[in-house]
Amino acid sequence: MTLEEFRAAAYAVVDWLAAYRESVEERPVLSRVEPGEISALLPAAAPEEGEPFADLMADLDRVVMPGTTHWQSPNWFAYFPANSSPPSILAEMVSAGLGLQGMLWSTSPVVTELESRVLDWLVDLMGLPQAWKSAGPGGGVIQMSASDATHAALVTARAAKSGAGRAEDMAVYVSEEAHSSIEKGCNIAGVGHCRMIEVDEERSMSVAALEAAVKGDLARGLLPVAVVSTVGTTGTTAVDPLTEISRTARRRGMWHHVDAAYAGTAMICEEFRDFQPSLEMVDSYTFNPHKWMMVSFDCNVLWVADRAPLLEVMSILPPYLRDEASESGAVIDYRDWHVPLGRRFRALKLWWVIRWYGAAGLRSMVREHHRLARRLADRVGRDDRLKLFAPVPFGLVCFTHRDGNEATRRLARDLNATGKAAITASSIAGEDFIRVAVGQAETEERHVDALWDLIDSLA
Ligand code: PLP
């Protein structure tokens, strides 16, 4: 591809993307293809000769669109949001265009220094402890996903808290409402016991049950190494009691990791910060700007209060990676902060999103989504066919049909079948419920009202 061809193709792609985003609201939100339907549109073998770019573009409509589930639709209320936004898309383009590798400071200093600075901005924007800034003992790093971050935290906890113990004797504690990535992280880290701690009536981890589990494991000769709290569980956005859990963690010599994958974004608004008190007692914290902060997937942030044990676990130095800047001790080499060596320039999209919208723009998005979620919850709460299933601390509304599981499932199926909105059905302790996550960047009051009209007509 010559640069002239590249220029023309790039304009065509941007035009196509702008038209897509203009029309996405009108498209059926969920893809309706049957398994295998997309494969059937594709040749079995790669082309021998190159094809014109116009043919590649045409297949966006012929092949890609039918198999697309429209996460960027303002009618997207399923799972949690995975927002992108125009400045983030453009930054992705620049990042790919530059094609940098940021494994060492010296392999592209801007990748490292911009990342540290933007994550320091976030410490202030989210009211996190100052010690987590890059100039302090801790620091932040961008990873692919919250699952990766939690895995890194657990591996670090295992090394930092186990003494000479064997991994199979180690125990990690997590609420039974925590995301499955914690159990997966334990499995990958080789931790022998991942204990699911029962929750109270608000679906927050019971500290008494945590204490009892730790005590029981100590009596059995096991080694409690970490506890993972959640701020905003995946099921219902419940919040674990961080202060009490931190106290238990300290008393028992355990690492305390906080998973705020979804709800972390809300912390840019001061009024949500009571949900995560006492963070200065926490060892690590993760959240996903790629969920609710208008930064395209993938972009996760992991902060550690003390970077030394993380680096101790993740550093390995073959001769071909030695260099003067690293040895001077004056720079950060982010390759030592996670499993992958190579790393892309993900900080650019975070930088552009924060600069384009400003802290005020991000705050008003969060507050508006929260307001819209409360508006919907209020309507659900006043309807005698429906029942709220959980409080609405952030942007997620959970409810059931009063006629029971069958009716709840039917309502969820019928809502999704309209193509006018996407919601998720879930279940806790045998009770089925519908999750409506208000958080897509373009979602306005009229979309939430239209969803309510659908719920009203189908309930
Ligand atoms: N933790 C929580 C609370 C989540 O809700 C999710 C995903 O929804 C995750 C972790 C996993 O996130 P990721 O896909 O970034 O690994």
Side-chain angles (χ1 to χ4, degrees):
M1 191 178 261
T2 65
L3 289 182
E4 262 327 294
E5 288 168 328
F6 168 71
R7 190 170 276 125
Y11 287 138
V13 167
V14 171
D15 283 343
W16 187 91
L17 277 176
Y20 169 70
R21 291 183 78 97
E22 247 162 27
S23 66
V24 65
E25 172 169 1
E26 309 307 328
R27 295 174 186 258
V29 188
L30 299 173
S31 169
R32 289 171 163 168
V33 295
E34 295 295 327
E37 218 175 302
I38 300 298
S39 311
L41 296 173
L42 299 167
E48 184 61 26
E49 304 296 335
E51 300 177 47
F53 195 74
D55 291 2
L56 276 56
M57 288 294 294
D59 278 355
L60 286 177
D61 292 316
R62 188 183 69 91
V63 180
V64 175
M65 279 299 99
T68 295
T69 287
H70 299 284
W71 285 72
Q72 304 311 321
S73 167
N75 299 313
W76 180 262
F77 301 103
Y79 305 104
F80 278 137
N83 276 342
S84 83
S85 60
S88 181
I89 296 165
L90 294 173
E92 283 281 31
M93 232 164 120
V94 175
S95 168
L98 294 174
L100 308 182
Q101 273 295 345
M103 55 208 187
L104 303 176
W105 174 86
S106 60
T107 57
S108 249
V110 68
V111 176
T112 298
E113 295 199 12
L114 186 62
E115 182 162 330
S116 303
R117 179 52 55 98
V118 173
L119 299 189
D120 286 350
W121 283 1
L122 278 178
V123 166
D124 288 334
L125 285 180
M126 297 167 66
L128 304 174
Q130 290 296 308
W132 297 5
K133 283 190 173 172
S134 53
V141 57
I142 298 180
Q143 309 220 4
M144 181 172 73
S145 71
S147 306
D148 286 329
T150 294
H151 173 224
L154 290 175
V155 169
T156 307
R158 188 186 68 180
K161 301 291 182 183
S162 63
R166 301 179 318 159
E168 54 267 41
D169 293 332
M170 293 177 199
V172 167
Y173 305 84
V174 59
S175 108
E176 55 193 10
E177 285 303 313
H179 191 262
S180 56
S181 55
I182 322 293
E183 189 177 1
K184 193 172 189 174
C186 285
N187 292 344
I188 299 169
V191 168
H193 308 269
C194 182
R195 304 288 194 210
M196 305 292 168
I197 305 300
E198 69 189 55
V199 292
D200 60 22
E201 64 287 352
E202 308 217 307
R203 303 191 181 87
S204 309
M205 189 192 294
S206 152
V207 178
L210 170 67
E211 289 274 2
V214 172
K215 234 173 159 176
D217 283 343
L218 284 170
R220 272 181 220 103
L222 298 181
L223 251 177
V225 289
V227 55
V228 180
S229 311
T230 309
V231 176
T233 59
T234 314
T236 63
T237 60
V239 176
D240 290 333
L242 297 199
T243 308
E244 291 76 5
I245 293 173
S246 274
R247 284 199 193 113
T248 298
R250 289 213 162 172
R251 208 170 40 253
R252 301 297 188 177
M254 294 189 289
W255 186 279
H256 186 188
H257 175 63
V258 175
D259 175 5
Y262 157 73
T265 295
M267 304 308 157
I268 52 178
C269 304
E270 243 179 294
E271 65 269 27
F272 292 99
R273 293 189 196 151
D274 287 349
F275 288 116
Q276 52 177 46
S278 316
L279 284 182
E280 58 291 339
M281 292 203 287
V282 156
D283 295 293
S284 52
Y285 178 99
T286 192
F287 98 110
N288 282 343
H290 70 222
K291 277 189 161 60
W292 195 10
M293 208 182 252
M294 292 194 276
V295 181
S296 322
F297 191 88
D298 53 350
C299 185
N300 159 272
V301 183
L302 170 70
W303 277 285
V304 283
D306 177 6
R307 71 178 84 164
L310 175 67
L311 269 60
E312 178 77 26
V313 166
M314 296 287 179
S315 304
I316 189 155
L317 191 56
Y320 47 84
L321 291 179
R322 282 183 192 282
D323 81 11
E324 246 175 64
S326 305
E327 273 157 27
S328 74
V331 300
I332 286 179
D333 289 323
Y334 277 124
R335 72 181 181 98
D336 292 334
W337 293 57
H338 49 43
V339 174
L341 171 63
R343 59 200 321 273
R344 26 190 229 106
F345 194 6
R346 280 181 289 222
L348 189 72
K349 57 188 170 182
L350 201 45
W351 192 43
W352 278 18
V353 165
I354 295 172
R355 290 180 69 193
W356 175 266
Y357 295 101
L362 295 175
R363 281 188 209 108
S364 69
M365 178 202 63
V366 166
R367 287 180 177 139
E368 179 63 358
H369 288 155
H370 183 233
R371 184 186 75 81
L372 294 177
R374 299 294 283 251
R375 179 181 169 89
L376 178 68
D378 191 47
R379 287 173 159 176
V380 168
R382 281 191 277 113
D383 192 291
D384 53 13
R385 297 160 297 173
L386 306 169
K387 191 171 72 175
L388 278 175
F389 185 70
V392 184
F394 306 107
L396 182 74
V397 183
C398 300
F399 63 94
T400 60
H401 198 294
R402 285 186 188 271
D403 291 348
N405 282 353
E406 185 62 37
T408 301
R409 287 266 161 199
R410 181 197 49 75
L411 178 56
R413 259 195 320 272
D414 290 351
L415 281 168
N416 283 335
T418 63
K420 293 182 177 158
I423 52 87
T424 305
S426 190
S427 179
I428 290 180
E431 198 171 353
D432 293 347
F433 63 100
I434 291 174
R435 293 170 77 266
V436 173
V438 181
Q440 204 287 323
E442 309 291 335
T443 300
E444 297 170 14
E445 186 173 291
R446 66 192 169 90
H447 301 107
V448 178
D449 286 355
L451 173 66
W452 168 252
D453 290 344
L454 274 183
I455 294 170
D456 186 31
S457 66
L458 294 170

